[in-house]
Amino acid sequence: MLSFDPEKVSLPVGHYIDGQHTQTQGAPFAVKRPSDGKVFATINEAQPDDVDRAVNSAHQALKTSGWSSCSPRERGRVLRRWADLIEQDSLLAQLESLGSTRPISDVVQHEIPFTAEAIRFYAECADKYSGDLFPTRESSLGMLIPEPYGVIGAITPWNFPLSMASWKCGPALAAGNAVVLKPSELTPFSTVRMAELAVQAGLPAGVLNIVQGSGAVTGSALVKHPLVRKVSFTGSTLTGARIMSDAAQFGMKPVTLELGGKSPQLVFDDAGDIDQLAQRILRGFTANGGQACVAGTRLIVQRGIADPLVERLAALCREVQPGVTWNDQSRYAPLIDERQGNKVCSVIEAAKAQGAEVLVGGERFANTDGGWFWQPTLLSGVAQDNPAVQQEIFGPVLTVQTFDDEEQGLALAAHEIYGLCAGVHTMSLPRALRAMRAIEAGTVWINRYGRSGDFIIPTGGFIGSGIGKDLGRQAFQACQRQKSVLIDF
């Protein structure tokens, strides 16, 4: 049994700096459980002085610990031990499911293994990528030497706290950097536990520090700090634009930004079994309660199969049942909080005002004891300029649009703002390849929707969905800067 009592979980409250838990004098903020809306902890927000202490601790740790200069294989050994501890730690799974939107069964079966494997992947990268030698004169030697940036500032969202932390910390630490990480103030605890386990695994104290607080105060101070040489952020497009601006003004530091999405699921009439299609599409927009930047929230379906597909989708939506995240029978996630619930509600109302029809769902589940569980929702009758088509809702809401031919379908799949992901469903390989090339998105899935857990393949968006890549060797190499050297002798 994975179920647990939410009142009996030991919380690692506070910030984690230089291997120690610490509280600050910043303004207190309440942390609520998404499943029932209950306040279960209070944390004091890290102020600029606290962020300065964390960044300086990381900077000093790099100087004194030898983390940057030690053998890359030794860094890899530490990271592998860290991954092992993450898999073995029962408290970590409870913290994640207690304070986030992740049901405990999903955390244990997917999130924890995914997090550990991401760190193992980057442990293997540590000694696999080197510099280069260049042909020069006989008495000269030209080299390109990769070296760590130093302190990397990382900011992660609330929807996947553990895996997002591994995406930031894994490549940065493997490349020899230190990290100061600000998790979302809504989901702070599992990330602190991860940092505790890193020190237990042998990571020098101070090389990974955690500061808690809002983006406006704590996150802003982290991005602007002069000793932070690079910033990696996952979150909204609007916040990403602010971070990019601050990074340019305060040090001209590089950024990796994985931002919002409004991803299409383009379904042609030769896509195969209707039931399999419906289940695939359902997972694509309801996983984690629809709170994923990669969620496939725009169904664009060829008219010939639209009616049976939407009918089957509606039936599957009606079968979904909510449940608190600490019950191992629960499979459907709540929205993170009331604010997010109100946002989902407001976009649906705006969509209806512009002609959208609610086919199923459209409201909060009743009798969920304070938790914001939103019914899977299908909206039809939406034009391309409808708010539900244009805006990232971050909830389990799917718009339905139909098309007659390939050209029309591809035109509907395009989006002016976002280009994160897309799904294409067809049994025609030539059509799939044409669609893959035509759609402006950083990732295109064919006859599937969602990542495979294969860390070799990078992820990242085009246009308003981001800059740079997470995962893959590209993420590791983005955590190193390249120094050109020319020697005469």
Side-chain angles (χ1 to χ4, degrees):
M1 290 288 290
L2 299 174
S3 300
F4 62 95
D5 186 342
E7 306 297 339
K8 295 182 178 180
V9 178
S10 178
L11 303 177
V13 177
H15 315 282
Y16 193 72
I17 301 173
D18 205 24
Q20 301 291 325
H21 292 278
T22 180
Q23 287 282 12
T24 67
Q25 300 303 309
F29 60 88
V31 185
K32 297 181 179 180
R33 299 192 300 228
S35 288
D36 60 8
K38 181 178 178 180
V39 174
F40 71 109
T42 301
I43 289 181
N44 293 328
E45 182 169 63
Q47 301 299 296
D49 286 350
D50 304 312
V51 172
D52 180 65
R53 183 158 59 92
V55 173
N56 275 288
S57 167
H59 182 68
Q60 284 299 120
L62 284 182
K63 286 185 174 182
T64 59
S65 69
W67 180 252
S68 293
S69 58
C70 74
S71 161
R73 293 192 66 81
E74 176 56 30
R75 289 200 295 270
R77 281 190 284 269
V78 172
L79 293 180
R80 285 191 291 273
R81 288 196 295 268
W82 187 24
D84 291 342
L85 291 178
I86 286 171
E87 283 189 325
Q88 297 161 10
D89 190 70
S90 60
L91 176 58
L92 188 61
Q94 292 184 359
L95 290 170
E96 182 79 342
S97 59
L98 174 72
S100 80
T101 58
R102 316 292 288 146
I104 182 65
S105 60
D106 190 49
V107 173
V108 171
Q109 294 170 22
H110 302 290
E111 199 72 7
I112 294 288
F114 190 87
T115 299
E117 278 303 299
I119 292 170
R120 289 193 183 102
F121 177 87
Y122 287 108
E124 293 303 320
C125 286
D127 66 345
K128 300 300 187 295
Y129 300 100
S130 57
D132 209 347
L133 295 176
F134 300 105
T136 58
R137 300 193 315 269
E138 182 179 1
S139 60
S140 295
L141 178 63
M143 298 182 292
L144 188 67
I145 300 175
E147 61 181 28
Y149 277 98
V151 180
I152 291 180
I155 301 174
T156 53
W158 46 260
N159 54 342
F160 298 96
L162 283 178
S163 59
M164 292 294 99
S166 72
W167 289 19
K168 306 302 183 188
C169 297
L173 294 173
N177 299 281
V179 177
V180 178
L181 171 63
K182 190 202 86 67
S184 169
E185 65 272 25
L186 302 180
T187 55
F189 300 116
S190 57
T191 310
V192 174
R193 181 59 180 164
M194 273 186 73
E196 291 178 342
L197 296 174
V199 173
Q200 290 181 28
L203 188 74
V207 171
L208 174 58
N209 293 328
I210 311 294
V211 289
Q212 310 281 11
S214 68
V217 176
T218 310
S220 177
L222 181 59
V223 170
K224 295 175 182 178
H225 198 286
L227 288 179
V228 170
R229 303 300 194 203
K230 182 182 186 295
V231 176
S232 184
F233 168 76
T234 296
S236 74
T237 297
L238 180 60
T239 303
R242 291 172 182 158
I243 287 173
M244 191 174 179
S245 175
D246 284 346
Q249 293 183 57
F250 295 88
M252 201 59 82
K253 57 195 74 174
V255 296
T256 296
L257 304 173
E258 194 208 17
L259 307 178
K262 192 66 184 176
S263 301
Q265 300 213 50
L266 182 60
V267 182
F268 292 94
D269 57 11
D270 64 348
D273 184 80
I274 292 292
D275 187 63
Q276 290 183 5
L277 269 173
Q279 293 191 41
R280 188 188 305 158
I281 292 163
L282 180 79
R283 290 191 298 270
F285 85 95
T286 62
N288 201 34
Q291 298 161 117
C293 56
V294 299
T297 55
R298 293 190 293 136
L299 174 61
I300 300 165
V301 55
Q302 200 157 16
R303 201 176 304 277
I305 63 168
D307 287 346
L309 178 58
V310 172
E311 183 179 338
R312 181 62 184 133
L313 257 175
L316 290 174
C317 288
R318 294 186 184 98
E319 294 174 3
V320 171
Q321 294 297 320
V324 294
T325 53
W326 47 84
N327 186 322
D328 61 9
Q329 300 304 306
S330 299
R331 296 293 183 270
Y332 186 66
L335 299 181
I336 186 67
D337 59 12
E338 181 179 6
R339 179 182 177 184
Q340 188 62 27
N342 288 333
K343 177 186 175 182
V344 173
C345 183
S346 68
V347 176
I348 291 175
E349 291 304 311
K352 289 162 61 178
Q354 294 193 23
E357 177 188 356
V358 178
L359 300 179
V360 65
E363 59 186 11
R364 183 181 179 184
F365 276 102
N367 305 316
T368 50
D369 193 28
W372 273 84
F373 291 87
W374 198 268
Q375 296 177 7
T377 300
L378 302 183
L379 298 177
S380 67
V382 291
Q384 198 73 343
D385 61 353
N386 190 284
V389 174
Q390 290 297 309
Q391 297 179 29
E392 184 181 38
I393 303 174
F394 234 58
V397 181
L398 182 73
T399 59
V400 180
Q401 297 172 285
T402 57
F403 66 94
D404 294 308
D405 57 36
E406 184 177 315
E407 182 180 2
Q408 185 183 16
L410 290 171
L412 289 173
H415 200 284
E416 292 182 1
I417 301 171
Y418 298 113
L420 187 56
C421 301
V424 177
H425 308 268
T426 177
M427 291 302 169
S428 167
L429 180 58
R431 174 181 278 169
L433 293 176
R434 288 194 300 271
M436 174 271 292
R437 294 187 182 282
I439 294 172
E440 190 173 14
T443 297
V444 178
W445 293 300
I446 310 294
N447 295 329
R448 63 173 294 129
Y449 200 87
R451 299 185 179 101
S452 64
D454 190 339
F455 302 98
I456 295 173
I457 302 173
T459 185
F462 294 169
I463 50 179
S465 289
I467 294 174
K469 296 290 187 181
D470 283 321
L471 299 182
R473 70 176 184 274
Q474 287 81 1
F476 174 82
Q477 291 169 328
C479 291
Q480 295 179 316
R481 54 190 180 183
Q482 306 294 322
K483 180 175 287 183
S484 296
V485 178
L486 184 61
I487 303 173
D488 281 351
F489 48 86

